[in-house]
Amino acid sequence: MSPNHQTPSVVARLRAELGITQKVVADEAKLDQSRVSRLEKGEVLGGTEIESILDALATLGSPHANDFKAFLKREWQHVEPPSFWNPQRGYLEQADEVLDNVALFLSETEHPWPVRRHIERHRDLLLSASSFLTRLNHNIAFIGNIGVGKSTAISFLFDLLVPATTVTNPLKRTVLETGAGGTTICEVHIKKGPEFGVSVVPLSDVEMRQRISDFCNVTWNSVSSDAQDPAGEIARVSKEMDRALRNMAQLNRRTDTATGKKLTVDPAADLARSCESEAEFRARVIERMLLPERTRRELWYNSATHKHPMEWVKEVFSAINKGQIGDVPLPETIDLLVPNFGKSFGDLELTLIDTKGVEDHAVREDLEARLKDPRTAVVFCSGFNDAPGPTTGALLKHMRETFAEGFDPGKAAILALPLSGQATAMKNDVGDEAESDTEGYELKEAQITEKLTAEGVKALPVMFFNVISDEPVVIRKNVVEQLTRMRERGADHLLDLCAAIEDLMENIEQQAIQLAIEEVSKRLSTFLKANRLLSARERLPYVDVMSTLRGIRYASTLWAATRRNGEYSGLNVVHMIGSGAARDARSRCDGWFKSLDAFLNSLKADDDLAQAGRTIDQIRLSAAASKTTFLDTVQQTGMEVYREPLRQAPVWQLCAAEWGRGSGFKDRVAGHLERWFETEKQYLARVEEGVTASWEKQVIAPLMRLAEESAPQEMGVGGYSNVVNFPARAAE
């Protein structure tokens, strides 16, 4: 028996679960107590001693001791050794055994090539499925408009609260900063830590200076001219950013009553008036911020403060969020570290993500990344009356039009956040108001489901949570179970792959199976030769950019984007181009994949090919995976082709100069960009080259390898590459 890095923690946990001391275990194992202590502290003991300790734990009643003993004896050949506590450990053990058999099978050269190719592809898919289940880290991302109560709900659902004895108002107990919207300056992560602490990932120097530049430009214009144009469009930075920058520069507004009148004094405006130029003003603001001294990234709780740890976390988080700690930089993300966080939710390593509230454009790059991440479950938060809410609707529409497939079970849910009295104000079909919150929730759920179904979204769980009156336990359990459903789906996929591989290898000697697989490969080759090309482009990748810019809610969002050459966290033109390219590619390939699906159904219906049924099913799964990779790569292609040309384009100077020239700022900016896109058509051709190359590499080539013996082996993980050389860069 060979110990591994898990042995100390597993032994300590097995003993703790029995509620016994190290001495009791040592006595049963006939060892000195120091040996058990040293093992639990991480010191290496001999295999015989470890076996004696595990035997003792088993004798003392541990239901897992013998399993762990067997786990330590196991040699993992193909799958990364999982945690002993991994809920899918048994599935992974089976996968490793199957992969071992596959390696042996492929080492034998007498098997016909179609069978070998299908086994190879099954192996690659099985390795991918195993990798997903091996890791225990997952995220739950909460997404919603500013002001809907998202941060408040997270705090109450996951007990991120200061003790009730220290705060009388229950809504003031939240560790996360809450308010009427626009309170949190960045994305916040809550995760398990070694102790109570707060850590930050700072903004890059470039972005930090850009934020300062925005603030200074707004302030400079407010004191040197009228900041509002005839259309009522006002240049502004978000209130949370304005507050943090003012605190960092010690330029907070204050109220002056010395003259007997209540007056607001703005030191930033006074400083601007004392400067000869905006550049001088900006330099003086930067100087006041003492940026070189802001180097601290981690803060840890000290019991000497005599504060409850959660109270300390709340205060420190609030101070960082407001820019009030002199040696801490402005954050891009903030991590709140809580010992044993998520312990009651099982053995998954859980991170909660409180995304920055949506104020304007919902299809942001950061939110799309959460939607695409297979390890992240998403909770769409909305107010009760407008549930599922505009942000949810916009993101669901984006997913339908851009992503390869619909939701996996557990990927997303809706959380409506009612205020007191809203649920009972719901009326049934005869016009009677709900008699209870529960009845109101049922009526609202029916409305939400009906609306989602009409928009083509089905099987999306709907939950309700009033932080004042509803118990959080059930909702918290439902939210966490999203991850369980995601992993169960992954485990089912893994078992299907194992079964398909075993079926092939066990029955390969049957001539009928060989002939059936060879015939499937032959027909697949014929299909691919007749249907190799992707259909013609249907829409330009940037077609949605202009309509989005014209329809943006706040002109100041577009103003900030023009000052960053189109790449602003709240409105990223490059990201929109990538999404547009993926949306067009999705539309162009949907018909092809429907034809493939119909073709595979015809193979399944052919009695002569019944022996190859599992093989046909796996071709379908392989094609689905290729579609996802294809669309992701197309999106990246669109972004990479246009990124540098747009960064360098003088069009942004024209766009930024349109501010303050009267009504129609958004239309004028959209017009400038539209003319630029029409003039610079060479980039459109490069995107199309990338789309065509990606289609060939990531859809046709993997399937062709299953269909033809002479098809080349692609390089990359699992034999297939998801890397496409962007034509724009290859030409340079």
Side-chain angles (χ1 to χ4, degrees):
M1 176 184 296
S2 300
N4 67 19
H5 69 282
Q6 300 183 45
T7 303
S9 62
V10 172
V11 169
R13 176 168 166 176
L14 295 179
R15 180 179 62 78
E17 288 176 347
L18 293 174
I20 57 178
T21 64
Q22 293 176 345
K23 184 177 187 309
V24 171
V25 176
D27 290 345
E28 182 64 35
K30 297 180 173 51
L31 296 170
D32 189 273
Q33 179 182 342
S34 65
R35 306 304 288 170
V36 179
S37 175
R38 290 173 64 182
L39 173 61
E40 292 188 6
K41 289 178 179 178
E43 296 187 28
V44 178
L45 301 186
T48 302
E49 287 182 299
I50 294 174
E51 188 166 5
S52 297
I53 291 171
L54 291 173
D55 286 340
L57 288 167
T59 301
L60 292 167
S62 172
H64 303 297
N66 285 328
D67 289 340
F68 185 59
K69 196 163 74 168
F71 177 78
L72 290 178
K73 293 178 179 178
R74 182 178 187 87
E75 293 185 6
W76 295 84
Q77 300 294 330
H78 308 278
V79 174
E80 180 184 350
S83 164
F84 174 71
W85 304 108
N86 189 309
Q88 285 75 37
R89 176 168 53 83
Y91 297 94
L92 294 168
E93 290 176 355
Q94 181 177 346
D96 195 64
E97 292 170 1
V98 170
L99 288 166
D100 208 34
N101 293 334
V102 168
L104 179 61
F105 178 90
L106 293 176
S107 69
E108 300 168 354
T109 59
E110 69 272 14
H111 301 302
W113 77 263
V115 175
R116 293 177 61 84
R117 291 288 173 81
H118 283 283
I119 289 290
E120 288 170 354
R121 186 55 174 159
H122 287 11
R123 174 201 60 196
D124 298 338
L125 294 173
L126 184 54
L127 284 168
S128 177
S130 299
S131 177
F132 173 79
L133 291 175
T134 297
R135 295 164 54 195
L136 292 174
N137 61 301
H138 287 277
N139 308 313
I140 301 178
F142 290 76
I143 297 174
N145 284 70
I146 62 171
V148 300
K150 175 167 54 72
S151 300
T152 301
I154 294 172
S155 294
F156 276 86
L157 281 174
F158 292 91
D159 199 26
L160 300 170
L161 304 169
V162 302
T165 54
T166 63
V167 179
T168 55
N169 184 345
L171 293 179
K172 298 296 184 181
R173 295 179 58 203
T174 59
V175 168
L176 298 176
E177 279 221 282
T178 59
T183 304
T184 307
I185 200 167
C186 63
E187 188 172 273
V188 182
H189 304 164
I190 303 99
K191 61 179 68 175
K192 179 181 177 181
E195 53 187 289
F196 288 96
V198 181
S199 68
V200 304
V201 175
L203 285 173
S204 67
D205 290 342
V206 172
E207 184 58 27
M208 180 66 200
R209 291 181 181 277
Q210 187 63 63
R211 301 289 177 98
I212 296 171
S213 178
D214 287 347
F215 169 78
C216 291
N217 181 259
V218 169
T219 305
W220 180 262
N221 287 339
S222 71
V223 300
S224 61
S225 64
D226 188 358
Q228 181 170 314
D229 72 10
E233 296 171 337
I234 303 173
R236 65 185 181 93
V237 295
S238 65
K239 62 182 181 182
E240 64 272 19
M241 183 59 62
D242 179 86
R243 178 184 60 202
L245 294 176
R246 285 177 178 275
N247 282 327
M248 293 175 72
Q250 300 182 48
L251 292 171
N252 314 73
R253 294 186 183 92
R254 64 180 186 274
T255 301
D256 188 354
T257 58
T259 62
K261 296 182 179 180
K262 191 174 182 180
L263 299 175
T264 298
V265 178
D266 185 352
D270 292 341
L271 179 61
R273 292 187 186 96
S274 69
C275 297
E276 295 295 326
S277 66
E278 183 181 342
E280 180 191 349
F281 173 50
R282 185 167 57 248
R284 292 181 65 181
V285 169
I286 291 174
E287 181 183 15
R288 294 175 64 92
M289 288 183 170
L290 303 176
L291 296 180
E293 298 179 13
R294 296 180 177 272
T295 59
R296 189 152 57 135
R297 305 290 189 268
E298 297 180 348
L299 297 89
W300 299 100
Y301 171 69
N302 187 338
S303 59
T305 62
H306 301 296
K307 294 179 179 178
H308 187 279
M310 283 303 224
E311 186 179 7
W312 177 88
V313 171
K314 176 183 173 71
E315 291 179 0
V316 171
F317 169 61
S318 176
I320 292 175
N321 186 52
K322 295 174 182 175
Q324 293 175 326
I325 301 180
D327 58 352
V328 175
L330 198 65
E332 182 176 38
T333 61
I334 302 175
D335 289 356
L336 306 186
L337 306 174
V338 180
N340 297 319
F341 180 75
K343 184 178 181 180
S344 62
F345 313 140
D347 291 294
L348 300 182
E349 299 170 10
L350 180 63
T351 296
L352 295 183
I353 300 174
D354 185 10
T355 62
K356 188 163 174 55
V358 175
E359 186 174 17
D360 205 332
H361 182 55
V363 188
R364 299 192 321 232
E365 190 171 7
D366 62 318
L367 300 184
E368 183 182 73
R370 300 303 179 190
L371 295 174
K372 284 188 172 181
D373 182 9
R375 311 200 68 80
T376 298
V378 173
V379 179
F380 292 114
C381 299
S382 70
F384 182 82
N385 289 337
D386 69 343
T391 290
T392 303
L395 291 173
L396 290 176
K397 181 175 183 291
H398 174 69
M399 295 174 74
R400 290 197 307 275
E401 294 179 350
T402 309
F403 292 9
E405 302 296 334
F407 295 112
D408 284 337
K411 177 62 182 180
I414 289 175
L415 179 62
L417 303 169
L419 302 176
S420 297
Q422 288 184 331
T424 52
M426 291 292 298
K427 294 182 179 180
N428 59 24
D429 291 342
V430 297
D432 295 332
E433 290 188 345
E435 295 182 359
S436 65
D437 284 350
T438 300
E439 183 182 354
Y441 293 165
E442 292 172 352
L443 293 171
K444 190 64 177 181
E445 181 177 1
Q447 286 186 1
I448 295 171
T449 301
E450 181 180 3
K451 183 174 182 179
L452 292 175
T453 301
E455 296 175 354
V457 179
K458 297 180 181 179
L460 201 60
V462 179
M463 300 173 287
F464 301 90
F465 182 53
N466 183 324
V467 299
I468 298 298
S469 58
D470 291 338
E471 287 294 327
V473 177
V474 174
I475 302 301
R476 180 170 63 227
K477 181 174 180 290
N478 290 341
V479 168
V480 175
E481 281 185 351
Q482 287 183 246
L483 300 176
T484 301
R485 291 194 292 274
M486 290 173 67
R487 293 184 67 87
E488 288 173 349
R489 170 74 176 268
D492 290 342
H493 177 48
L494 182 145
L495 288 181
D496 288 342
L497 289 167
C498 287
I501 293 171
E502 290 174 331
D503 187 51
L504 275 177
M505 293 191 301
E506 289 173 4
N507 300 289
I508 193 59
E509 299 305 326
Q510 297 180 25
Q511 188 70 14
I513 290 183
Q514 292 189 26
L515 292 175
I517 293 176
E518 289 176 3
E519 181 62 21
V520 166
S521 297
K522 179 180 177 181
R523 295 192 193 181
L524 179 59
S525 176
T526 301
F527 173 86
L528 293 173
K529 288 177 180 177
N531 301 275
R532 186 157 192 151
L533 299 179
L534 182 66
S535 64
R537 184 174 60 228
E538 298 179 2
R539 55 191 286 157
L540 300 173
Y542 48 77
V543 70
D544 292 332
V545 172
M546 275 65 71
S547 60
T548 299
L549 299 188
R550 290 187 171 100
I552 205 77
R553 183 179 179 185
Y554 297 112
S556 59
T557 302
L558 180 54
W559 166 79
T562 63
R563 291 169 55 81
R564 292 165 172 79
N565 290 3
E567 290 190 84
Y568 176 50
S569 59
L571 183 67
N572 190 326
V573 172
V574 172
H575 177 252
M576 283 191 281
I577 292 172
S579 295
R583 188 174 295 114
D584 173 62
R586 165 72 189 266
S587 178
R588 294 165 67 180
C589 74
D590 272 351
W592 189 94
F593 279 99
K594 287 179 182 177
S595 296
L596 176 66
D597 199 54
F599 164 73
L600 295 176
N601 286 338
S602 71
L603 297 184
K604 288 277 285 186
D606 190 330
D607 292 338
D608 293 337
L609 303 178
Q611 297 278 10
R614 287 186 181 275
T615 297
I616 297 168
D617 290 337
Q618 294 308 314
I619 292 174
R620 197 189 312 272
L621 288 174
S622 178
S626 295
K627 183 180 182 182
T628 298
T629 304
F630 166 64
L631 294 179
D632 286 347
T633 306
V634 167
Q635 180 167 0
Q636 289 301 316
T637 299
M639 293 174 66
E640 291 304 316
V641 166
Y642 275 95
R643 189 187 304 277
E644 285 305 318
L646 271 173
R647 280 179 177 170
Q648 304 299 326
V651 67
W652 294 111
Q653 298 174 16
L654 298 175
C655 291
E658 293 294 347
W659 184 259
R661 294 184 177 178
S663 61
F665 169 71
K666 292 180 281 189
D667 286 333
R668 293 195 299 275
V669 170
H672 284 306
L673 283 173
E674 190 167 24
R675 287 186 288 275
W676 185 87
F677 285 124
E678 291 173 351
T679 301
E680 305 293 340
K681 290 186 177 180
Q682 69 271 25
Y683 304 117
L684 187 62
R686 292 181 183 179
V687 171
E688 186 60 22
E689 290 173 15
V691 171
T692 303
S694 179
W695 174 257
E696 184 66 26
K697 272 195 170 187
Q698 293 163 331
V699 177
I700 300 300
L703 291 173
M704 191 62 77
R705 183 162 171 77
L706 298 176
E708 293 185 356
E709 184 175 10
S710 60
Q713 172 78 36
E714 292 290 335
M715 299 303 294
V717 177
Y720 296 96
S721 172
N722 65 350
V723 178
V724 171
N725 292 323
F726 295 120
R729 294 188 172 182
E732 293 174 355

